[in-house]
Amino acid sequence: MFNLIGKFMKKINYILRPSMKRFYLLPAILLFICTTSGAQSKQRIDSLAIYILDRTSETMRSLISCSYTAFITYDTWMDSVGYIKHTSKDKVYFSFPNKMKVNMQGDMGNRSMCYDGKKFSYYSFNQNRYAELDLSLDIVQTIDSMNRKYGIELPAADFFYPSFTDDILSAGGNLVYLGVTGVQNQLCYHIAGNDVNGTVFQFWITQDHLFFPVKMVLTYKEDNGQPQYEAVYSDWEINPSFPANMFDFVAPPAADKIRMSTELSGLSKEKNNK
């Protein structure tokens, strides 16, 4: 998936994941506006938006375990007709600090990822091929490592990064609180912003004590046609108990094992013909 929509995910990583010291706020401050030296326009940073995103990060850090569904839509270019919208439905299971399982079903084929705290496995149902790698990392470190080294992306997982808010601020654009609106039959805080390259991002966060993400949209305004990447989150379960063997991977009969490398991009780009 990463290689097909690589330009999208690389931009997501640029927006959300550079390192930066923590930016602490006093929630009582309702609006902070700063002007870049020598610039003609002001950078708008609403501290209420930062407060809401910080509360989302606090919720994520407090979890012992969780599961959720992410419905992903994204645009890819086809010369004959223009942008085509693709979809993927991903079911994610986390047991912190170091166990996860992800089942992905969509236009790019049916795949799964398992990590039991000792071994990471990536499997293609369509091709009956898999790869494994010994690891000893936590979940966020595993996601980051597999992305950087092998191009394997866990879709829409940026909310779990401890520096989520700071990484957005370091993009150098705006961050604006837009008010409360309805999404997925629930009231949500609506937050929008952009980076210096013209990428516009929007987040919808539940208006309750948990501040869970409900929806994320990225629009690449500098690209022809302004393609989008969208993730809708649902079916959140907080601190569920999982079977001990849930995160183990057992290769199916006759499955071919390949080495963990960028060859996995071939599994990510497979077309689901079933």
Side-chain angles (χ1 to χ4, degrees), residues 74-250:
Y74 54 94
D75 298 326
T76 61
W77 179 261
M78 179 179 289
D79 289 338
S80 58
V81 295
Y83 280 110
I84 301 297
K85 194 168 292 291
H86 295 278
T87 64
S88 178
K89 184 178 181 180
D90 305 337
K91 186 64 179 181
V92 181
Y93 306 87
F94 287 154
S95 180
F96 297 96
N98 61 352
K99 292 180 174 63
M100 71 174 182
K101 182 174 184 177
V102 185
N103 294 324
M104 297 167 282
Q105 296 179 313
D107 295 351
M108 300 305 296
N110 298 336
R111 295 150 291 142
S112 71
M113 292 186 286
C114 293
Y115 179 53
D116 62 1
K118 298 178 181 179
K119 188 184 296 289
F120 178 89
S121 303
Y122 187 92
Y123 175 67
S124 163
F125 289 90
N126 297 72
Q127 295 186 358
N128 200 23
R129 302 171 70 191
Y130 70 98
E132 293 181 321
L133 183 71
D134 292 332
L135 283 179
S136 182
L137 302 171
D138 64 30
I139 289 175
V140 172
Q141 291 170 336
T142 298
I143 294 170
D144 200 50
S145 176
M146 300 311 293
N147 182 6
R148 287 185 292 101
K149 293 181 180 179
Y150 306 109
I152 298 174
E153 180 74 20
L154 178 61
D158 295 279
F159 289 101
F160 290 92
Y161 277 68
S163 59
F164 174 66
T165 309
D166 297 335
D167 297 341
I168 293 175
L169 293 174
S170 71
N174 300 296
L175 186 65
V176 181
Y177 172 70
L178 298 176
V180 177
T181 186
V183 178
Q184 297 292 100
N185 298 317
Q186 55 190 319
L187 292 178
C188 295
Y189 299 114
H190 188 189
I191 296 169
N194 62 351
D195 70 355
V196 294
N197 293 324
T199 302
V200 176
F201 48 88
Q202 299 181 70
F203 306 123
W204 287 261
I205 307 296
T206 57
Q207 189 193 30
D208 57 22
H209 64 288
L210 292 175
F211 296 85
F212 272 125
V214 174
K215 184 177 179 180
M216 174 178 72
V217 174
L218 304 175
T219 304
Y220 302 98
K221 297 189 68 175
E222 298 301 312
D223 293 355
N224 292 333
Q226 299 187 5
Q228 289 189 329
Y229 176 96
E230 177 179 311
V232 176
Y233 305 84
S234 62
D235 305 325
W236 283 97
E237 291 192 47
I238 304 170
N239 299 332
S241 297
F242 297 124
N245 64 347
M246 178 173 176
F247 304 97
D248 299 339
F249 174 75
V250 178

